[in-house]
């Protein structure tokens, strides 16, 4: 048999002496007196090695899980969409190529594994202005009335998803049901000439792997909550300035660049030690393919062209979808919140696809926390 000193055992285990002694008392580690010094003990090498490997494995799992939450390995399996080699795919189909001809209804059918395009019923009066606030209210009103998502067939869930999309469209793309969503939306803004650009943007934004809002929607769906609740969760998450709300920072950059010039505006932000959300994306080191696909079909205004040229040179990153979407809204003189409206309408299709997939998995999403707070009080202390 091979034996280790206390110092050697502690080095391999990476623990405190108290932990070593506790493992000995519990029979996990065999010990014997040191024949050269009866005041000291020796510890069985195989027992130490076994516990060290188990502890290392546990630490590795915790590390991987923590990193996965912060732009690491995927935390959930999904067949809905992915980004591979700088390209975005919806169930294996290239989204940039799909946006050349498809509508959001067709993209939704693909994401939902549905044979035919979804049919969105009439979305209220065409005189109604698209409103994210109205979408929040409409979804919230549905949640207490809708059935839970668990225990229902896929066909029934698809019908439910289509009905939820009708609710969303009534708030974000009002108009007659004989028109596709991109035309309804452009018409409601009084900008029919923008309909093709809106169509491309909707398809490109329909889903984007396991982003923050998709994860929120999946967590909600995993509890068995109604699909309206899942989309409500996704919509709430989307509004954050690091997600769908990033357009506001891009619009502010545009306003500043109009006054003092693009280079000076960018220099001012960089001097504050903050990033510029108009450039770069972790999943697209060579440039956001969605921005490239959208910008190829309209010419941005002069100020956006200047921002792009100056920013790409000064930052070393290419423009992203937040830049392209905000530039498109400015180019076609769309309402100020148009980027968020387009984003929310499009991504609702993805949230519903993820919700369906999560319900089918039958798993509750419930990560564990690694406690970092004050010392735990023990009973009787």
């Amino acid at each position: 048999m091979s034996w280790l000193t206390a110092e050697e055992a502690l080095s391999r285990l990476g623990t405190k002496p108290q932990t070593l002694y506790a493992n000995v008392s519990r029979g996990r580690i065999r010990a014997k007196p040191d024949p050269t010094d009866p005041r000291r003990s020796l510890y069985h090498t195989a027992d130490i090695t076994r516990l060290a490997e188990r502890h290392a494995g546990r630490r590795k799992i915790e590390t991987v899980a923590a990193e996965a939450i912060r732009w690491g390995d995927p935390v959930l399996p999904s067949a809905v969409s992915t980004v591979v080699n700088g390209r975005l795919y919806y169930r294996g189909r290239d989204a940039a190529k799909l946006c050349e001809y498809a509508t959001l209804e067709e993209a939704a059918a693909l994401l939902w594994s549905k044979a035919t395009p979804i049919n969105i019923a009439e979305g209220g009066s065409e005189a109604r202005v698209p409103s994210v606030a109205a979408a929040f209210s409409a979804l919230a009103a549905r949640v207490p009335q809708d059935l839970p998502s668990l225990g229902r067939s896929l066909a029934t869930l698809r019908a439910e998803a289509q009905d939820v999309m009708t609710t969303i469209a009534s708030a974000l793309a009002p108009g007659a049901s004989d028109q596709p969503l991109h035309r309804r939306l452009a018409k409601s803004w009084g900008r029919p000439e923008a309909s093709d650009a809106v169509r491309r943007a909707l398809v490109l934004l329909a889903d984007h792997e396991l982003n923050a809002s998709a994860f929120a929607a999946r967590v909600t769906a995993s509890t068995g909550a109604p699909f309206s609740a899942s989309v409500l969760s996704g919509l709430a998450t989307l509004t954050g300035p690091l997600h769908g709300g990033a357009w506001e920072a891009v619009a502010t950059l545009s306003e500043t660049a109009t006054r003092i010039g693009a280079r000076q505006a960018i220099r001012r932000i960089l001097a504050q030690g903050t990033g510029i959300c108009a450039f770069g994306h972790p999943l697209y080191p060579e440039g956001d393919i969605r921005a490239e696909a959208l910008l190829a079909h309209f010419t941005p205004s002069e100020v956006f062209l200047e921002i792009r040229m100056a920013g790409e040179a000064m930052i070393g990153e290419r423009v992203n979808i937040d830049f392209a979407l905000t530039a498109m809204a400015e180019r076609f003189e769309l309402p100020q919140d148009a980027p968020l409206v387009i984003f929310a309408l499009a991504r609702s299709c993805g949230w519903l696809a993820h919700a369906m997939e999560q319900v089918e998995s039958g798993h509750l999403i419930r990560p564990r926390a690694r406690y970092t707070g004050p010392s735990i009080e023990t009973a009787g202390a």
Side-chain angles (χ1 to χ4, degrees), residues 37 48 67 90 106 119 160 229 238 253 265 324 337:
D37 185 353
I48 295 294
E67 291 178 350
Y90 297 159
E106 291 168 333
N119 179 35
E160 177 98 353
L238 183 73
L253 173 60
D337 65 345

Side-chain angles (χ1 to χ4, degrees), residues 128 131-144 146 164 166-171 228 232 235:
R128 183 184 299 172
S131 167
V132 173
F136 270 112
S137 297
L139 288 167
R142 284 191 62 138
V143 172
D146 289 353
V164 171
T166 296
T167 296
I168 297 164
S170 69
S228 52
L232 189 60
L235 185 59

Side-chain angles (χ1 to χ4, degrees), residues 14-93:
T15 58
K16 298 178 180 179
Q18 295 92 320
T19 305
L20 173 62
Y21 306 147
N23 279 314
V24 171
S25 66
R26 292 168 185 164
R28 295 172 181 167
I29 298 175
R30 285 168 283 181
K32 70 173 186 177
D34 186 340
T36 64
D37 185 353
R39 296 171 300 176
R40 297 166 61 88
S41 295
L42 296 177
Y43 303 90
H44 195 265
T45 301
D47 294 344
I48 295 294
T49 301
R50 184 185 69 255
L51 284 180
E53 289 176 349
R54 184 183 302 172
H55 183 59
R58 183 161 57 247
R59 285 188 299 170
K60 182 178 180 182
I61 291 170
E62 291 174 352
T63 300
V64 169
E67 291 178 350
I69 295 295
R70 300 191 301 269
W71 284 101
D73 295 330
V75 295
L76 290 172
S78 177
V80 178
S81 69
T82 190
V83 177
V84 178
N85 297 325
R87 308 288 299 191
L88 172 62
Y89 296 92
Y90 297 159
R91 296 196 183 275
R93 299 278 298 278

Side-chain angles (χ1 to χ4, degrees), residues 90-91 98-99 102-113 117-118 199 202-204 206-207 346 349-350 353:
Y90 297 159
R91 296 196 183 275
L98 192 67
C99 84
T103 64
L104 180 61
E105 290 88 336
E106 291 168 333
L110 175 62
L111 293 170
W112 300 358
S113 293
I118 64 171
R199 178 189 63 77
L202 289 171
V203 173
L204 289 166
D207 196 56
C349 295

Side-chain angles (χ1 to χ4, degrees), residues 147-167:
L147 289 174
S149 54
L150 294 181
R152 303 167 69 191
S153 70
L154 180 57
T156 302
L157 292 178
R158 284 184 183 138
E160 177 98 353
Q162 186 164 306
D163 192 51
V164 171
M165 276 302 302
T166 296
T167 296

Side-chain angles (χ1 to χ4, degrees), residues 251-269:
T252 299
L253 173 60
S254 170
E255 294 170 1
T256 305
T258 300
R259 296 196 311 271
I260 64 176
R263 291 187 64 83
Q264 187 60 32
I266 293 170
R267 182 183 296 276
R268 178 179 293 181
I269 296 175

